[in-house]
Amino acid sequence: MAADEERDGVALTNLDQQLFEGAGATKRELVDYLDALHDRIVPVLRDRPLSVIRILRGQDAFMQKNVPKYTPDWVRTVTRWADASKREVRYALCDDRRTLLWFGNQRAIEYHPALTRSDRADVVTDLILDLDPPEGDAFDQVVAAAHLVRQALADAGLAGAVKTSGSKGVHIFVPVDESVGIADVAAATRALAARAERIDPQVATTAFIKEDRAGKVFLDSTRAGGATVVAAYSPRLRPGLPVSFPVAWDDLDRVKPADFTIHTAPDLLGAADPWAERLPRRNGSPTTSSRRDTRSPSPACRRCTRASAGPAPAARGFEGYRPGKHPVMRAVTWQGRREVSVDNVPDPRIQEPTDAIVEVTSTGICGSDLHLYEVMSPLMEKGHILGHEAMGVVREVGSQVRTAAPGDRVVIPFQVCCGHCHMCVQGLQTQCETTQARESGMGAALFGYPKLYGEVPGGQAELLRVPQAQYMPIKVPQGPPDDRFVYLSDVLPAAWQAVEYADVPAGGTLVVLGLGPVGDMSARVAAQRGAGRVIGVDLVPERLERARARGIEVVDLRETDDLAGEVRDRTDGRGCDSVVDAVGMEAHGSAAARLAQQMAGLLPDAVAAKVTQRIGADRLTALYCAIDIVRRGGTISIAGVYGGMADPLPMLTLFDKQIQLRMGQANVKRWIDDIVPLLARDDDPLGTETFATHRLPLAEAPRAYDMFQKKLDGAVKILLQP
Ligand SMILES: [Zn+2]
Ligand SMILES: [Zn+2]
């Protein structure tokens, strides 16, 4: 066939034929367009396995991945295994003008490069969101959704570039560091979509099922890994040959996809390459490469030679995106003794079919977090995510999760438990045999704890991966504020179990030692469940005041030097029927430690001496106190955390007084059905809605920990709100 023309050694044929019916363009116009922009198109295609959409005369269009047999040998190719078709595919790499012209002559209209380069099938260069209008051509809706994505990126310290798809929607590209794995990029993409949706759920949706999208713009986060996306500047196989065109974010509201065609784009662009400018892609740092640009020796084809085939697109705004530190989710991490920080960490993702991902809306700081904050420091690993009192909205579930579905409001128990093992079925979820930290010989794994308890990343984070989600999530109704339900994660079942274990006889008297969150709630629960009398003991004015305000009788340790006498006076000289010890082992210098020290001063001399000499003042004093004030035959229920391996107990007294001792972490799920009816009542009998003294954004976690540890500003219970 005689060539009409030859360019760069490529024979061009039949240039005056229409490309397809309604194209409004000849093959010559296509080739001229590609040639005019080759210095901007080649860089986005270079070294990437290329698929093209071709349309031959009088035939249907088709996507070509495998290069045809007659491909000239100067077209570089790469062979990749295609999972979808279960065969090897030999892709072209469009590395130069000549190859691009050859493709143009082949009537290749659309250019879809891979997100990977030829030498690394496992490294993607971009994170991509594909935004399409729900119905018709509602581009203004797409633009509104794109702005949400831009906001979500900015919130994470990132920036991306946007281009029209050339069809009805837009593509948002965020370059990623080559060291980030495909799975992490995919997770980050999903998280980005989820966050954009969350900013305005009326505008955008991540629903995969079309019927669920309700006329909103779908944020398609599936273009990861092996996917291809049409290249910037590529024409599209549509009437008038529109092109995918880079748009400045601020211009997005003023353009229509149809503004950009092979006929208009060259004039609009002039010599500019807005895609390369907004999506810098280079070896080395942004500054060095832009300097190199200006010194480029070949002005005629500067852009063409600029983008190297090498890897490492480190991009503007993306310095933080590295494994273990990619700024998609924020979480409170342990950094050292009395030091926490709010960090960028990888979003959690579904790892097992029984996992769920929960978007955390409220998450408590617990007294036991203070143990990790200082006492247990030697066991902690830097960077571990803290927190075990989380609730939120289910974002994603594994294939075996039926307890909850995306969108459900759930509370997550602090211990990880399976619901079907020997222990779980008898309501001892804290001893779950499926999640037990066997290496350390401890019970069920706990969120936010070190190796001792399974090292499960915690809930003081924007997202929480919930293992054993076929059982774990506690579904709660929409409507009431988080405060109603968040304490189901720990405080409420801990208090409920403490009172249950205290076994207060009908009309009997319960003394609660320590009015921190669990002690305070135990007093409330006991009063609610009909204890004859509840006496709370503490020395912190705010705590005493809270209890008093709810009608709990209190003993202020600052005002008495004889607690046991005080209690006996109020109980016909016998002592109380039951005690809840909600003090436990606490941090030195904390209010609880001061409480314990104060109690030591109240103990009978002989006992006190033993305590202070042998184990220090602040370890077992609350328990000794309990042993002292409980009546003969009474029950002590220990809710505070004890951690000593060799603590001495006064066995003679315990035996002689016939004292029952019960203790242990709360088996959260065991008590939920008992507690929830109280939370559902309009009058909020346990006072959950006013229980928190502080609600702070997640970002203020360091200040919150400090405040909680020092009990500043009346801090009794702090909720963080991611
Ligand atoms: Zn807790
Ligand atoms: Zn279990």
Side-chain angles (χ1 to χ4, degrees):
M1 191 184 298
D4 297 359
E5 193 186 329
E6 191 176 296
R7 282 188 219 178
D8 213 352
V10 179
L12 304 170
T13 55
N14 297 320
L15 288 173
D16 294 320
Q17 286 174 0
Q18 281 285 313
L19 285 166
F20 53 92
E21 203 173 311
T26 60
K27 185 162 143 190
R28 182 187 307 278
E29 287 169 309
L30 172 68
V31 170
D32 283 347
Y33 169 79
L34 296 172
D35 201 11
L37 265 67
H38 80 271
D39 58 346
R40 284 152 277 188
I41 296 175
V42 169
V44 294
L45 303 181
R46 172 178 283 131
D47 197 38
R48 296 167 184 274
L50 179 67
S51 307
V52 292
I53 293 180
R54 293 175 62 195
I55 186 159
L56 304 181
R57 266 185 92 191
Q59 296 182 20
D60 286 338
F62 62 98
M63 181 170 264
Q64 170 185 299
K65 292 173 182 286
N66 244 328
V67 290
K69 289 200 181 62
Y70 53 81
T71 303
D73 54 11
W74 43 261
V75 172
R76 198 157 73 95
T77 59
V78 65
T79 301
R80 285 257 175 103
W81 175 256
D83 247 355
S85 50
K86 299 274 178 268
R87 64 187 174 123
E88 298 231 288
V89 175
R90 195 164 149 243
Y91 289 94
L93 302 169
C94 185
D95 286 358
D96 51 23
R97 174 180 174 225
R98 184 159 64 151
T99 307
L100 184 64
L101 289 169
W102 178 76
F103 269 116
N105 193 55
Q106 295 287 312
R107 305 171 69 108
I109 312 270
E110 299 194 4
Y111 295 78
H112 296 249
L115 301 177
T116 59
R117 296 181 192 275
S118 65
D119 59 339
R120 292 293 301 274
D122 58 339
V123 175
V124 295
T125 54
D126 298 275
L127 176 163
I128 289 171
L129 278 181
D130 179 9
L131 278 58
D132 268 325
E135 294 292 333
D137 291 337
F139 191 66
D140 49 339
Q141 282 187 52
V142 174
V143 170
H147 283 303
L148 300 181
V149 175
R150 186 193 192 191
Q151 181 62 48
L153 282 168
D155 290 348
L158 297 175
V162 63
K163 63 185 183 70
T164 64
S165 67
S167 176
K168 298 171 180 174
V170 300
H171 297 146
I172 296 168
F173 276 55
V174 183
V176 298
D177 190 278
E178 61 157 353
S179 57
V180 183
I182 283 185
D184 282 335
V185 174
T189 311
R190 286 193 303 271
L192 177 65
R195 294 164 141 238
E197 177 189 32
R198 191 164 60 182
I199 295 170
D200 191 345
Q202 299 309 310
V203 170
T205 177
T206 54
F208 281 99
I209 301 179
K210 223 169 177 178
E211 289 70 47
D212 294 347
R213 292 180 196 160
K216 300 168 197 169
V217 177
F218 177 50
L219 307 176
D220 184 355
S221 57
T222 59
R223 301 290 186 103
T228 62
V229 178
V230 77
Y233 308 115
S234 168
R236 301 304 301 267
L237 188 84
R238 297 170 66 85
L241 261 69
V243 302
S244 176
F245 199 83
V247 182
W249 281 104
D250 294 334
D251 293 338
L252 207 48
D253 301 285
R254 291 193 285 273
V255 303
K256 292 271 170 285
D259 296 346
F260 312 107
T261 69
I262 64 164
H263 303 292
T264 62
D267 282 346
L268 289 168
L269 287 168
D273 185 355
W275 192 241
E277 282 155 24
R278 295 189 194 116
L279 196 79
R281 197 177 285 296
R282 54 184 65 109
N283 286 325
S285 75
T287 40
T288 52
S289 76
S290 49
R291 246 183 267 123
R292 192 168 60 225
D293 286 351
T294 56
R295 286 186 311 207
S296 174
S298 157
C301 201
R302 199 173 60 196
R303 291 189 186 88
C304 222
T305 51
R306 174 177 62 194
S308 133
R316 178 175 52 195
F318 228 92
E319 274 68 17
Y321 198 108
R322 297 188 296 275
K325 201 176 187 341
H326 79 57
V328 172
M329 105 161 175
R330 308 279 289 163
V332 181
T333 60
W334 188 89
Q335 292 297 328
R337 188 163 178 271
R338 288 194 197 169
E339 195 193 338
V340 300
S341 66
V342 181
D343 276 347
N344 297 328
V345 301
D347 271 7
R349 56 175 195 268
I350 301 278
Q351 293 171 20
E352 304 288 336
T354 49
D355 285 352
I357 303 294
V358 170
E359 213 174 84
V360 178
T361 52
S362 288
T363 180
I365 301 180
C366 179
S368 59
D369 291 331
L370 290 183
H371 296 167
L372 306 178
Y373 191 56
E374 44 185 333
V375 184
M376 286 168 80
S377 290
L379 299 171
M380 294 296 287
E381 288 225 9
K382 206 169 168 160
H384 190 61
I385 303 173
L386 296 167
H388 58 262
E389 301 185 352
M391 74 171 290
V393 178
V394 176
R395 163 63 50 202
E396 203 181 340
V397 296
S399 58
Q400 291 175 22
V401 175
R402 304 278 177 276
T403 49
D408 283 348
R409 194 181 194 199
V410 294
V411 181
I412 305 303
F414 70 88
Q415 79 254 122
V416 184
C417 50
C418 74
H420 56 70
C421 70
H422 181 78
M423 292 298 171
C424 282
V425 294
Q426 44 186 314
L428 290 168
Q429 288 88 345
T430 273
Q431 312 304 332
C432 175
E433 289 179 344
T434 305
T435 74
Q436 264 176 18
R438 289 176 202 274
E439 265 170 54
S440 49
M442 305 302 277
L446 307 177
F447 285 106
Y449 269 68
K451 275 217 175 64
L452 187 65
Y453 280 110
E455 213 170 18
V456 185
Q460 285 164 11
E462 290 177 319
L463 294 169
L464 174 65
R465 172 183 164 246
V466 181
Q468 305 292 337
Q470 81 290 350
Y471 176 65
M472 289 279 285
I474 301 164
K475 259 209 256 188
V476 297
Q478 310 283 350
D482 278 3
D483 297 55
R484 268 295 167 118
F485 305 114
V486 67
Y487 305 112
L488 283 172
S489 58
D490 184 353
V491 175
L492 276 167
W496 197 274
Q497 180 170 301
V499 172
E500 186 78 20
Y501 282 6
D503 198 18
V504 191
T509 300
L510 171 72
V511 170
V512 179
L513 296 179
L515 294 172
V518 172
D520 186 346
M521 190 56 85
S522 298
R524 298 177 189 207
V525 165
Q528 181 63 36
R529 293 178 66 183
R533 194 166 174 193
V534 182
I535 303 171
V537 179
D538 209 299
L539 48 62
V540 179
E542 292 85 6
R543 294 178 173 190
L544 290 164
E545 194 40 54
R546 279 159 64 94
R548 227 184 251 123
R550 300 199 62 86
I552 308 289
E553 207 177 311
V554 298
V555 175
D556 184 344
L557 282 181
R558 292 166 307 167
E559 291 169 2
T560 177
D561 51 9
D562 182 12
L563 176 63
E566 185 81 38
V567 170
R568 280 192 274 270
D569 281 352
R570 299 188 192 191
T571 52
D572 299 332
R574 285 197 191 91
C576 53
D577 300 294
S578 306
V579 180
V580 167
D581 168 7
V583 178
M585 162 192 87
E586 271 253 23
H588 291 259
S590 71
R594 274 190 290 127
L595 178 59
Q597 279 156 3
Q598 186 103 354
M599 284 177 174
L602 303 176
L603 290 169
D605 282 351
V607 180
K610 235 184 274 170
V611 171
T612 46
Q613 271 169 24
R614 294 182 47 193
I615 51 175
D618 52 356
R619 284 275 296 277
L620 283 182
T621 41
L623 180 56
Y624 277 89
C625 230
I627 294 167
D628 194 23
I629 63 177
V630 75
R631 70 159 161 81
R632 289 177 175 275
T635 304
I636 297 172
S637 164
I638 303 175
V641 176
Y642 283 91
M645 294 293 282
D647 290 333
L649 284 177
M651 290 307 297
L652 174 63
T653 311
L654 283 167
F655 190 83
D656 178 63
K657 285 184 77 171
Q658 264 185 294
I659 291 171
Q660 325 296 311
L661 265 182
R662 298 198 69 183
M663 67 193 83
Q665 304 263 30
N667 302 298
V668 173
K669 295 270 296 202
R670 174 175 188 156
W671 309 112
I672 296 305
D673 292 344
D674 295 308
I675 301 168
V676 165
L678 291 175
L679 302 182
R681 273 168 50 177
D682 286 342
D683 60 343
D684 188 18
L686 297 176
T688 54
E689 288 188 14
T690 52
F691 195 71
T693 51
H694 296 74
R695 290 175 197 80
L696 294 169
L698 191 75
E700 290 196 43
R703 184 165 79 87
Y705 267 80
D706 185 57
M707 199 161 88
F708 189 45
Q709 198 264 337
K710 296 178 178 148
K711 301 291 179 281
L712 302 174
D713 192 29
V716 176
K717 187 67 189 180
I718 301 177
L719 293 179
L720 297 173
Q721 295 171 319

